[in-house]
Amino acid sequence: MKGVEVKWIQLAKQGDEEVLTRVVDTYYQQIYQYISRLMEDQMLAQDLTQETFIKMLKALPRYDPKRAKFSTWLYTIATNLCRDYWRKKQPEMMETDDLDILTGGYPGELKKWEVKHLVQDALNILPFRQRIPIYLAYVQGMSYEEIGEICRCPVGTVRSRIHYGLKKLRQWFEKMEVSEKR
């Protein structure tokens, strides 16, 4: 897809509206899902997704494919918009439904939706700087290098944030298990 992606971006930069529409159609749902899992309010997620693509359109002439993949660049725009919103309005909110893997197979007879709610609650205890790398790694399947580009930090910092975030999540789940046994 990389070669096709580069070609699309070149054509979009030249003002090809059909290709630009194809680019937006290709990435819109991915970016919306990403933002909707970070924001509790679905209307807000829609607004921030639209704002991401507006910013993308304005900044497209400055996009350099040698510096980052287009998708990484787009996730960076979305992440920055979410970070700015959190700083201004709601510093601690997140929603997810795809991080069952983080529970390590939570014990008991829990239904899938119960696990999702537990994971949502657990992620809410994490600071933003740990939530984003965990989400990007475990849900989006991004490499530490890509996450570092999006979060604007070195790979070692990404590893550290994921490590300490997962450690906090494990402790939270252990605490939940103990409290449910009482």
Side-chain angles (χ1 to χ4, degrees):
M1 171 92 174
K2 180 132 172 93
V4 172
E5 185 179 81
V6 171
K7 180 86 171 156
W8 281 2
I9 301 310
Q10 288 171 344
L11 291 170
K13 281 181 163 185
Q14 295 168 2
D16 187 325
E17 289 186 25
E18 185 179 319
V19 172
L20 190 55
T21 300
R22 195 176 321 151
V23 169
V24 172
D25 289 345
T26 300
Y27 292 101
Y28 191 89
Q29 193 61 32
Q30 264 184 315
I31 296 298
Y32 171 74
Q33 287 176 350
Y34 172 64
I35 293 174
S36 71
R37 287 187 174 98
L38 299 178
M39 303 307 215
E40 204 165 275
D41 181 343
Q42 297 305 305
M43 292 299 288
L44 175 62
Q46 289 175 356
D47 290 346
L48 289 173
T49 301
Q50 289 175 1
E51 194 171 337
T52 298
F53 283 94
I54 290 168
K55 283 191 176 263
M56 182 267 306
L57 290 172
K58 289 179 181 176
L60 191 58
R62 295 186 311 272
Y63 168 69
D64 181 4
K66 294 175 187 159
R67 293 188 66 208
K69 287 186 349 186
F70 180 76
S71 59
T72 302
W73 181 69
L74 198 54
Y75 273 98
T76 301
I77 293 171
T79 300
N80 289 339
L81 284 170
C82 291
R83 183 181 296 131
D84 291 347
Y85 178 82
W86 279 336
R87 284 181 183 151
K88 292 176 187 169
K89 304 274 184 190
Q90 305 287 333
E92 292 297 324
M93 57 196 237
M94 182 169 185
E95 186 173 334
T96 187
D97 65 354
D98 290 325
L99 295 178
D100 295 349
I101 191 171
L102 298 177
T103 66
Y106 192 78
E109 296 296 319
L110 296 178
K111 293 180 173 80
K112 186 171 181 158
W113 67 268
E114 290 174 312
V115 172
K116 289 177 183 181
H117 287 287
L118 281 171
V119 172
Q120 286 175 322
D121 291 344
L123 285 170
N124 284 331
I125 69 166
L126 296 177
F128 179 78
R129 69 183 182 281
Q130 291 172 343
R131 289 180 200 173
I132 296 301
I134 287 173
Y135 177 84
L136 292 173
Y138 287 94
V139 176
Q140 294 298 323
M142 290 187 178
S143 70
Y144 286 178
E145 290 78 15
E146 290 173 311
I147 297 168
E149 288 178 39
I150 291 168
C151 295
R152 296 183 180 162
C153 63
V155 172
T157 302
V158 170
R159 282 191 176 106
S160 174
R161 289 177 181 176
I162 290 174
H163 170 78
Y164 287 110
L166 291 175
K167 185 176 178 180
K168 284 181 187 175
L169 288 174
R170 278 188 214 99
Q171 291 169 346
W172 188 87
F173 279 106
E174 287 170 4
K175 187 186 253 184
M176 287 296 297
E177 187 176 317
V178 169
S179 67
E180 286 192 11
K181 287 182 180 178
R182 291 184 184 174

